[in-house]
């Protein structure tokens, strides 16, 4: 009954949703190739969790009107009606449940990522640590989950994308005075060198958050990032997600690739090959780059011998 009502109301809202979609897509298309469009995908997910009451992220709601594609039209004609419909009907689709149901569908990927990475941050970030958010996009953890925890926070991103984030923070009066912003192109530069020029201390324990980024990078950038974390003090960590090579090369991955290029002008590059042994292969890859695999899980079909579409991992710098 709830599901039926949910579907009926959503069908009624289609004309409103279409106008909201235009408000969303126009700024993305205007900045295509310059500013990350894919950064909106996880942001929209986290915004909807907040509005649906499943994962609080007040900073995302505050930041939204400052971001070109999360403008008033998008919020009032797309995001809020979706959240309202879920609230009044009592039906929360799998993609917006937090934590999401298992096995993790492709639609629930953002929730699975958030659940795993939020937990890694909560478990391993302590007072005095440094936190580096690589490819920060519109991530708001620095202004929510990590705020007031006595840690030094660095957000690293491509220059044009970071400029849009900083303008949005200023417009929406979100306090970013505790965050150090550093620009870098991960495929061409060392983020560690860039950070060191901005007060990063390579002798302090550090947690590197790398959400939704590996798939857009060349493999040498993946390898140099893992090696860079391995030079940091013991107990430093990197937590990240990835797509599997098998999924990217398969039919679903090729369709996903097409949709990404068509919508955002961005394409998938790196995929981690996980067959025949997800954990074994991931552990060996981390070891090759100086890290110990501390925790991991596949996303997608988790049965033995099946190919998951992605995975989540935490690597730690070992004692010398
Ligand atoms: C899908 S978004 C994820 C944003 C954020 N981590 C999140 O989960 O909300 C990918 C981010 O990686 C950044 N990125 C992708 N390729 C990059 C590169 N070569 N150098 C620097 N940043 C890059 C984009 O600018 C964008 O902010």
């Amino acid at each position: 009954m709830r599901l039926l009502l949910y579907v009926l109301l959503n069908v009624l809202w289609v004309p409103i949703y279409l106008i909201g979609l235009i408000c969303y897509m126009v700024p993305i298309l205007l900045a295509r190739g310059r500013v990350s469009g894919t950064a909106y995908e996880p942001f929209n997910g986290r915004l909807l969790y907040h509005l649906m009451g499943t994962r609080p992220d007040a900073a995302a709601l505050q930041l939204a009107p400052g971001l070109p594609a999360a403008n008033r039209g998008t919020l009032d004609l797309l995001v809020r009606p979706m959240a309202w419909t879920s609230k009044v009907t009592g039906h929360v689709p799998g993609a917006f449940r937090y934590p999401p149901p298992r096995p993790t569908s492709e639609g629930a990927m953002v929730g699975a990522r958030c659940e795993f990475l939020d937990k890694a941050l909560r478990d391993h970030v302590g007072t005095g640590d440094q936190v580096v958010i690589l490819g920060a996009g519109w991530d708001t953890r620095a202004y929510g989950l990590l705020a007031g925890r006595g840690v030094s926070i660095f957000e690293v991103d491509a220059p044009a994308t970071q400029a849009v984030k900083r303008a949005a923070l200023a417009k929406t009066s979100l306090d970013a005075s505790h965050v150090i912003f550093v620009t870098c192109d991960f495929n061409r530069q060392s983020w560690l060198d860039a950070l060191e020029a901005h007060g990063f201390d390579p002798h302090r324990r550090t947690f590197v958050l790398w959400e939704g980024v590996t798939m857009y990078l060349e493999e040498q950038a993946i390898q140099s990032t893992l090696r860079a974390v391995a030079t940091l003090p013991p107990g430093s960590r990197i937590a990240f997600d990835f797509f599997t090579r098998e999924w990217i090369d398969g039919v679903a991955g090729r369709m996903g690739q097409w949709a990404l290029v068509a919508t955002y002008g961005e394409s998938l590059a790196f995929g981690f090959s996980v067959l025949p042994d997800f954990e074994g292969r991931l552990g060996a890859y981390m070891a090759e780059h100086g890290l110990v695999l501390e925790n991991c899980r596949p996303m997608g079909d988790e049965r033995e011998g099946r190919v998951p579409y992605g995975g989540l991992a935490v690597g730690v710098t070992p004692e010398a």
Side-chain angles (χ1 to χ4, degrees):
M1 186 61 196
R2 285 175 179 194
L3 175 64
L4 184 66
L5 200 57
Y6 177 83
V7 172
L8 283 177
L9 281 174
N10 272 309
V11 170
L12 263 183
W13 305 152
V14 165
I16 296 175
Y17 285 163
L18 284 177
I19 305 173
L21 198 59
I22 293 170
C23 296
Y24 175 64
M25 281 312 302
V26 168
I28 287 178
L29 294 175
L30 289 175
R32 206 166 180 260
R34 268 187 314 111
V35 176
S36 171
T38 53
Y40 284 100
E41 299 245 336
F43 179 77
N44 293 338
R46 293 189 294 257
L47 188 57
L48 278 159
Y49 300 141
H50 176 76
L51 291 170
M52 290 182 180
T54 51
R55 176 186 180 271
D57 193 345
L61 188 56
Q62 191 174 339
L63 182 68
L67 293 169
N71 53 60
R72 276 264 107 79
T74 307
L75 285 177
D76 293 345
L77 302 175
L78 195 59
V79 176
R80 284 187 200 280
M82 280 171 83
W84 180 85
T85 308
S86 167
K87 277 212 151 170
V88 295
T89 60
H91 175 74
V92 182
F96 298 118
R97 279 191 216 144
Y98 184 83
R102 293 233 195 161
T104 313
S105 69
E106 286 163 30
M109 177 178 66
V110 170
R113 273 169 26 179
C114 277
E115 181 196 10
F116 184 91
L117 300 173
D118 285 355
K119 183 171 178 339
L121 280 166
R122 286 205 177 90
D123 288 351
H124 300 298
V125 173
T127 309
D129 284 346
Q130 299 176 115
V131 177
V132 175
I133 306 178
L134 292 181
W138 321 141
D139 188 297
T140 45
R141 291 184 178 93
Y143 319 96
L145 195 153
L146 292 169
R149 289 188 62 163
V151 294
S152 306
I153 305 173
F154 297 82
E155 285 199 7
V156 189
D157 212 330
T161 300
Q162 189 170 86
V164 171
K165 166 91 165 272
R166 296 186 72 173
L169 288 164
K171 260 190 244 167
T172 56
S173 307
L174 256 173
D175 180 15
S177 55
H178 58 297
V179 179
I180 297 166
F181 294 92
V182 178
T183 60
C184 179
D185 177 344
F186 302 137
N187 284 329
R188 289 183 179 75
Q189 292 166 280
S190 150
W191 52 266
L192 197 48
D193 289 350
L195 281 175
E196 284 184 42
H198 286 81
F200 176 83
D201 180 355
H203 306 295
R204 255 168 78 188
R205 201 174 80 134
T206 301
F207 187 105
V208 178
L209 177 66
W210 205 19
E211 179 177 5
V213 188
T214 58
M215 50 290 276
Y216 304 107
L217 301 182
E218 294 160 13
E219 181 160 14
Q220 58 79 19
I222 307 294
Q223 295 181 350
S224 61
T225 292
L226 297 178
R227 273 196 214 104
V229 176
T231 65
L232 298 173
S236 294
R237 287 177 170 79
I238 181 160
F240 62 98
D241 61 302
F242 56 89
F243 283 139
T244 62
R245 185 78 255 160
E246 291 83 355
W247 181 81
I248 291 180
D249 291 342
V251 176
R254 288 204 301 271
M255 278 162 55
Q257 174 81 288
W258 178 86
L260 270 184
V261 174
T263 315
Y264 301 116
E266 295 169 46
S267 54
L268 302 175
F270 176 74
F272 187 78
S273 181
V274 293
L275 289 183
D277 170 13
F278 182 91
E279 192 167 339
R281 287 193 68 112
L282 198 51
Y285 194 80
M286 299 291 259
E288 233 175 85
H289 299 94
L291 296 172
V292 172
L293 178 66
E294 184 176 59
N295 189 13
C296 70
R297 58 157 283 209
M299 291 189 290
D301 197 332
E302 295 165 18
R303 287 171 294 178
E304 187 78 34
R306 300 295 183 104
V307 184
Y309 64 82
L312 295 155
V314 179
V316 60
T317 308
E319 295 296 329

